[in-house]
Amino acid sequence: MQILVFGLGALGHVFATLLQKAGHQVVGIGRPSVTKAIKEKGIQVKGIWGEHKANLKGVYTSVSELPSQNFDLMMLTVKSYDIKTAVESLKPLVAPNTLVMCVQNGYGNYEIASEVLGDNHVVLARVIFGAELLAPGKVKVTVCADDVIIGSPKQAISSHRLENLATLFNQARIPTRFSPDILSYVWDKILYNCALNPLGAILEVNYGVLGEKNELRTIMNEIIKEIFIIAKAYDIPLFWSSVESYLEHFYTKLLPPTAAHYPSMLQDIQKGKRTEIDALNGAIVRLGKNAGIKTPINSIITYLIKGKEQICSQRKKR
């Protein structure tokens, strides 16, 4: 299979390496500093999925540099705030049978991609394994809470085709399965990320600390309650019938295995980079405004993250 991985961050490194090693022809697009390192030394992946090395078929810094325009699968592994630009640049390359997979965190990525490319081309993925970029061309897989879940929210792509795609990823040693309930899985992760990621970034602590303090639990509970209200207003399918049932699951099943984990949002802020807050708590705020629903806790969290982004970015420039 001819595969394009657009965005050679930590996840992009992992997908590109394992798919290339499984025998597919993988081309990557990334930042100049990253592509230079990969061209010279290839990619190395280590961690809980073992040690792997691969030399990609090609590595480029933009779509315009691509020598070939025939891809069976395009994987969008850019940050959520870059999704629209990436999708629009790829649109001329999408053939009748091309699939484009969105693996970003948060809400709005699939909606942007499907509006530009059409529902029959866009696969939505819920990715819940963690990877740390150690250096350009070197990455470590640190945690895997569940399989990658793929699906078509509007059932515009056949289940047979999606099951075959899941098999392809499993053969590349990326645990993956197809589900017709992909939206529920994505919102399950939105609940988890909105509660933990920004609060951990603001306080600069791991998830375990957030779960230990009653005051911080209260904030997370309110974040989650507001998301449940938004989900009900928009008829978004959740796996949980009530806030209480989700909170019990959250504190007893989800948080403990990742207690030592520090949020990726904190890493972005410390590097002076933009975060994905607009696709997480910021998206909840936007959906609330559109529906006339107040979301005060998610609003405050969003403003705090944006403020911290600016402060840390200014410090980096000094």
Side-chain angles (χ1 to χ4, degrees), residues 133-312:
L133 188 63
L134 305 175
K138 296 182 179 180
V139 70
K140 181 180 181 180
V141 181
T142 56
V143 64
C144 182
D146 192 9
D147 295 348
V148 174
I149 309 291
I150 63 171
S152 173
K154 297 183 180 179
Q155 315 301 319
I157 302 170
S158 72
S159 57
H160 175 72
R161 195 175 183 196
L162 291 169
E163 286 168 351
N164 286 341
L165 186 61
T167 298
L168 179 151
F169 275 72
N170 280 305
Q171 290 171 344
R173 301 182 69 176
I174 304 168
T176 305
R177 68 182 188 271
F178 156 71
S179 174
D181 300 319
I182 182 61
L183 271 183
S184 298
Y185 281 103
V186 168
W187 275 87
D188 207 34
K189 188 180 180 185
I190 288 172
L191 283 160
Y192 174 86
N193 278 340
C194 284
L196 293 167
N197 216 332
L199 197 57
I202 292 165
L203 298 174
E204 301 186 2
V205 297
N206 63 32
Y207 292 169
V209 173
L210 299 179
E212 291 169 358
K213 311 300 181 185
N214 288 333
E215 295 83 357
L216 301 181
R217 280 193 176 218
T218 298
I219 294 172
M220 291 191 291
N221 293 351
E222 293 303 315
I223 289 171
I224 289 166
K225 287 177 184 178
E226 290 180 0
I227 297 174
F228 264 77
I229 293 170
I230 294 298
K232 183 177 181 180
Y234 283 87
D235 291 323
I236 294 167
L238 299 178
F239 286 129
W240 311 96
S241 59
S242 68
V243 175
E244 291 73 22
S245 61
Y246 176 77
L247 288 175
E248 181 180 0
H249 177 73
F250 176 74
Y251 287 116
T252 61
K253 303 295 184 182
L254 298 182
L255 201 155
T258 55
H261 182 71
Y262 283 83
S264 58
M265 193 173 285
L266 173 59
Q267 298 170 33
D268 288 337
I269 288 174
Q270 290 174 335
K271 294 175 183 176
K273 295 169 61 178
R274 184 179 174 185
T275 72
E276 294 184 296
I277 191 66
D278 285 329
L280 294 169
N281 305 73
I284 302 305
V285 175
R286 290 195 306 277
L287 290 170
K289 286 181 178 178
N290 292 339
I293 299 171
K294 293 182 179 181
T295 53
I297 306 304
N298 280 280
S299 295
I300 290 171
I301 290 292
T302 301
Y303 286 132
L304 285 171
I305 286 292
K306 286 181 175 291
K308 189 159 186 171
E309 278 181 20
Q310 295 172 21
I311 292 169
C312 292

